Amino acid sequence: MTDSNLNIAVVGAGPGGYAAAFLAADLGMSVTLIDPELNPGGVCLYRGCIPSKALLHVAKLIEESEQAKNWGIDFAAPKIDLARLRSFKENVVKKLTGGLGVLSKQRKVKYVQGRAAFENSTTLRITKSDGSQESLTFDRIIIATGSRPAIVPALKLDTPRMMDSTGALNLDDIPGSLLVVGGGYIGLELGSVYAALGTRVTVVEMLAGLLPGADRDLVLPLHKRLEKLLDGILLNTTVASVKDEGTGIRATLRAQDGNVQEKVFDRVLVSVGRKPNSEIPGLEKTGVTLGPKGFIQVNKQLQTTDSSVYAIGDVVGEPMLAHKASHEGRTAVEAIAGHKVAFEPNAIPAVVFTDPEVAWCGLTETQAQNENRDVKVAKFPWAASGRAITIDRPEGLTKLLIDPQTERVLGVGIVGAGAGEMIAEGVLAIEMAALAKDVALTIHPHPTLSETVMESAEVFFGTSTDIYRPKRA
Ligand code: NAD
């Protein structure tokens, strides 16, 4: 049997699963894609990245219309038609998931709406959405079951007032007040949406700063803007308990310094991280093994400890990001097809879609410090960028982390409007082993924010056009 004649199953149709299934079909394999939803899409399209970005787009518009006062344009306060906003978001989801359904059919991927359980390493028992069951045998199975919100036992209350990201994205109402537990990706993105819609939002973060994974200089401009937008940001604080009082949730907030305060909120969003969906029924009948945090263990080809089973995406480990899952999915399929491949990226971009956006890739300054690595950091403040001034967003910052010996770009960090789009240039620079000189000599269009990447490289050589540094005597 040639590798392209293989019969494979992909369990889970998120950005990892459908990317894997589609590539497998493109390579000539016979593919079955199994997921409980009507169409492929997974958490990202149905309950994550996509609906949240539709809402964040609206939030940005509202905030910008407020800022327009500074430019002599005074808009009336927005009237929010929640039903129409919800239907905009739902149509975005329908369009994209429906499109994936069409792409599955065009590729002749057999899409099964249902849930899969393992009978052994190559046989799945699939319970379809209509309740019928079917056992199917495959040459290889790819697990792409993703992750779910982590739960804090102290915050378990059975009331719609307590929400995870799925509940918050439903946008049932615009609550008067919202407590966000966890100042990470989800808390800050969805907290910003609700704040823009008019909710008084308080964010509680157990660590000393927001977005603990990002460098502090990148978080600072966001923190400053959020201080204006939000009702409160409580760092070094946890929620000790919550109580349903019928008309609201009474939360006990405990700070590290011992300070305890009680506050009542209309709703609470718990966004304290995610857990892998590795409790797949029958998995114990295979040779797949799990690591300490419940992630499925895989090698660089995404093969598990059972040679017939591969696993990709959130279920195999951090970072739990859609684009990492898609690339892993494609690598797994190529490995199954017999290609010589490994998942060994030099940079996986991270983007927090707040306003300003925070984005980074490759080595971070925090990581360099922790690993005692000698790096030069070249920073270009957006206050010196013509484009940033024209859009009245001078608070941004672009920085490059550069190896002082080889002058290779090892990491890129950007905070500012549109940072999420700009970080792709950093990823390309790192993957192509670009030197600071390559970036400095690459002609960037003027006037754009992208010039800040080029000028950061010029800062490294002390010759940035838009920053004057007097020569040392
Ligand atoms: P997160 O890891 O980004 O943030 C969780 C935060 O909660 C951390 O800052 C943590 O210190 C804090 N925390 C943990 N326990 C706490 C407690 N008891 N009280 C107060 N704070 C507590 O997790 P998330 O925001 O839930 O998102 C989960 C994952 O989903 C992310 O790590 C990311 O991989 C993915 N995601 C990505 C995007 C994006 O790419 N833009 C957006 C949303 C989610």
Side-chain angles (χ1 to χ4, degrees):
M1 190 192 292
T2 67
D3 290 345
S4 63
N5 283 337
L6 291 173
N7 178 20
I8 77 159
V10 182
V11 182
Y18 74 74
F22 289 4
L23 179 63
D26 291 347
L27 295 181
M29 297 181 200
S30 156
V31 186
T32 303
L33 178 59
I34 307 139
D35 191 282
E37 294 287 351
L38 180 64
N39 279 308
V43 170
C44 171
L45 274 86
Y46 281 99
R47 298 175 291 281
C49 329
I50 294 298
S52 65
K53 261 79 263 176
L55 296 178
L56 277 158
H57 173 66
V58 172
K60 185 154 193 248
L61 180 74
I62 295 173
E63 288 307 311
E64 205 151 51
S65 68
E66 183 67 26
Q67 199 184 353
K69 284 197 182 92
N70 302 339
W71 319 324
I73 301 166
D74 210 340
F75 289 105
K79 280 191 208 127
I80 295 160
D81 180 340
L82 205 54
R84 279 182 76 174
L85 177 54
R86 237 183 268 126
S87 97
F88 161 63
K89 174 203 66 163
E90 279 152 21
N91 281 332
V92 169
V93 171
K94 239 186 239 157
K95 223 176 262 173
L96 288 170
T97 52
L100 289 173
V102 172
L103 285 172
S104 297
K105 285 200 185 91
Q106 287 170 331
R107 287 182 156 95
K108 307 209 172 12
V109 168
K110 185 179 167 203
Y111 186 77
V112 182
Q113 193 181 358
R115 289 184 177 277
F118 279 89
E119 286 187 353
N120 58 48
S121 303
T122 51
T123 306
L124 294 175
R125 184 151 194 81
I126 302 166
T127 307
K128 297 187 191 165
S129 50
D130 61 10
S132 64
Q133 289 199 334
E134 184 179 14
S135 284
L136 293 172
T137 297
F138 303 92
D139 299 309
R140 304 278 187 280
I141 295 172
I142 300 176
I143 301 173
T145 46
S147 63
R148 61 183 183 282
I151 295 167
V152 181
L155 304 182
K156 252 182 123 176
L157 265 189
D158 191 18
T159 151
R161 289 185 187 279
M162 295 293 296
M163 308 185 289
D164 59 15
S165 51
T166 307
L169 283 167
N170 284 344
L171 208 64
D172 290 333
D173 60 0
I174 300 174
S177 60
L178 172 71
L179 171 66
V180 174
V181 188
Y185 281 76
I186 295 178
L188 298 188
E189 289 186 359
L190 293 182
S192 300
V193 167
Y194 276 92
L197 294 176
T199 301
R200 283 171 280 110
V201 176
T202 302
V203 173
V204 166
E205 165 57 48
M206 102 184 153
L207 298 179
L210 299 173
L211 294 176
D215 281 342
R216 292 304 89 194
D217 55 353
L218 299 181
V219 177
L220 188 65
L222 171 64
H223 190 123
K224 279 193 184 152
R225 197 164 163 106
L226 286 177
E227 268 176 344
K228 288 189 204 133
L229 181 67
L230 306 181
D231 227 34
I233 301 173
L234 304 172
L235 302 176
N236 292 314
T237 303
T238 53
V239 181
S241 66
V242 283
K243 202 170 138 210
D244 188 0
E245 295 199 329
T247 52
I249 303 282
R250 180 172 294 276
T252 308
L253 313 177
R254 182 171 293 144
Q256 216 174 51
D257 62 9
N259 183 27
V260 175
Q261 51 175 317
E262 285 195 2
K263 276 189 167 178
V264 178
F265 299 89
D266 291 328
R267 282 182 180 262
V268 178
L269 163 63
V270 182
S271 48
V272 293
R274 297 182 65 88
K275 294 193 106 166
N277 287 330
S278 52
E279 302 92 348
I280 304 157
L283 194 64
E284 69 286 356
K285 296 175 193 162
T286 69
V288 173
T289 47
L290 304 185
K293 288 183 177 166
F295 291 113
I296 294 179
Q297 290 190 326
V298 289
N299 62 19
K300 284 183 179 170
Q301 283 70 39
L302 290 310
Q303 189 176 34
T304 67
T305 43
D306 183 320
S307 61
S308 303
V309 184
Y310 287 68
I312 59 166
D314 288 8
V315 79
V316 303
E318 306 270 2
M320 296 196 195
L321 298 171
H323 42 275
K324 176 217 145 213
S326 312
H327 278 263
E328 284 180 339
R330 292 173 65 87
T331 305
V333 167
E334 289 196 29
I336 291 170
H339 303 179
K340 203 166 179 294
V341 286
F343 187 73
E344 294 179 308
N346 290 311
I348 300 176
V351 180
V352 188
F353 291 89
T354 42
D355 186 22
E357 292 176 352
V358 184
W360 65 97
C361 65
L363 188 67
T364 66
E365 250 186 287
T366 317
Q367 198 186 337
Q369 275 155 16
N370 292 344
E371 294 171 7
N372 248 330
R373 286 178 71 165
D374 186 19
V375 286
K376 277 261 174 332
V377 183
K379 297 186 187 187
F380 186 83
W382 286 22
S385 151
R387 187 68 182 126
I389 304 297
T390 62
I391 61 169
D392 200 9
R393 297 305 297 270
E395 79 275 23
L397 172 76
T398 299
K399 67 173 178 180
L400 302 182
L401 274 76
I402 297 163
D403 183 316
Q405 261 82 48
T406 63
E407 298 190 350
R408 256 183 77 168
V409 179
L410 302 176
V412 180
I414 310 175
V415 55
E421 299 286 341
M422 288 168 62
I423 199 65
E425 181 181 358
V427 182
L428 189 65
I430 294 170
E431 287 293 0
M432 299 300 288
L435 304 181
K437 203 70 185 172
D438 296 321
V439 178
L441 290 177
T442 301
I443 300 177
H444 285 63
H446 179 74
T448 64
L449 296 169
S450 72
E451 287 170 293
T452 64
V453 178
M454 174 186 71
E455 294 229 36
S456 303
E458 291 175 356
V459 165
F460 174 72
F461 297 106
T463 56
S464 162
T465 305
D466 291 296
I467 293 178
Y468 174 65
R469 292 246 153 78
K471 288 223 173 3
R472 279 192 212 123

